[in-house]
Amino acid sequence: MSSIDETKQFVPLNIAVLTISDTRALADDKSGATLAERLVAAGHHLAAREIIVDDVDAIRVIIRRWIADPGVDAIITTGGTGFTGRDVTPEAVEPLFEKRMDGFSIAFHMLSYAKIGASTVQSRATAGVAGATFIFCLPGSPGACRDGWDGILAHQLDYRTRPCNFVEIMPRLDEHLRRPKAKGASV
């Protein structure tokens, strides 16, 4: 089990929240509100919050913008992870990943199974890293957002969490982009 190292100082992150839905507006976006409220209550900053329709290209425009923004450390999406014809979040986001985070999906399904049983298989929750930015894609229900935040993200996005957390590796996420070429290398 993880624990909090009280000798370490909390490091607030800038986290953007994207709700993917054909039917929601900011006024009735309970899932996005759940994530925004929880991350702010934990001490992080809400870097941005938007709602976009279930469209691969529209989703990618926003995700790419936030990946390129040095003021965004992490992105959490909610919605579009099911199996209906309009659910396209994994198709939109996964091709942008430089590295997949398979353990996130596994951990999410373990938490979800304890609450909703076999129905968890109807979610394609996913996560990865792109441009030194963490990206987490959660289902579009407030309960799933609570489970994902409370059970995984609140801990992994807290620098004080031991034995390890995402915050401590953030400075190294783009080291492959900063590595100088060897003398004489042509590529």
Side-chain angles (χ1 to χ4, degrees):
M1 290 297 290
S2 63
S3 63
I4 297 293
D5 182 346
E6 298 293 343
T7 66
K8 299 215 178 269
Q9 186 173 351
F10 180 80
V11 176
L13 301 180
N14 297 313
I15 303 172
V17 174
L18 179 62
T19 299
I20 299 158
S21 174
D22 289 337
T23 61
R24 297 283 176 232
L26 206 53
D28 65 352
D29 174 23
K30 293 179 183 174
S31 296
T34 295
L35 290 168
E37 290 164 6
R38 279 178 151 62
L39 72 88
V40 168
H44 298 292
H45 305 288
L46 181 61
R49 180 172 170 209
E50 292 189 34
I51 298 177
I52 193 68
V53 295
D54 293 272
D55 177 81
V56 170
D57 293 329
I59 295 165
R60 285 184 184 162
V61 165
I62 296 171
I63 298 293
R64 282 186 176 124
R65 178 171 24 105
W66 287 346
I67 290 169
D69 185 341
V72 175
D73 300 310
I75 300 165
I76 307 172
T77 73
T78 175
T81 62
F83 288 99
T84 71
R86 296 293 296 155
D87 291 324
V88 296
T89 300
E91 289 78 13
V93 179
E94 286 178 342
L96 304 177
F97 293 163
E98 293 164 9
K99 296 188 179 186
R100 287 181 53 102
M101 192 184 305
D102 295 328
F104 176 80
S105 179
I106 294 166
F108 177 79
H109 285 294
M110 288 172 57
L111 287 169
S112 183
Y113 185 83
K115 297 199 174 178
I116 64 169
S119 294
T120 189
V121 301
Q122 293 189 30
S123 166
R124 298 181 299 144
T126 187
V129 178
T133 304
F134 291 108
I135 305 168
F136 308 97
C137 301
L138 293 169
S141 74
C145 290
R146 281 191 298 274
D147 292 346
W149 179 265
D150 296 349
I152 304 168
L153 298 177
H155 307 287
Q156 281 298 295
L157 296 177
D158 187 334
Y159 178 65
R160 304 167 301 165
T161 297
R162 295 289 165 246
C164 58
N165 61 74
F166 290 139
V167 182
E168 64 192 359
I169 64 171
M170 287 178 72
R172 297 182 54 211
L173 291 177
D174 66 348
E175 65 190 1
H176 64 291
L177 302 173
R178 294 179 284 127
R179 189 175 306 135
K181 291 183 185 175
K183 284 196 180 240
S186 60
V187 177

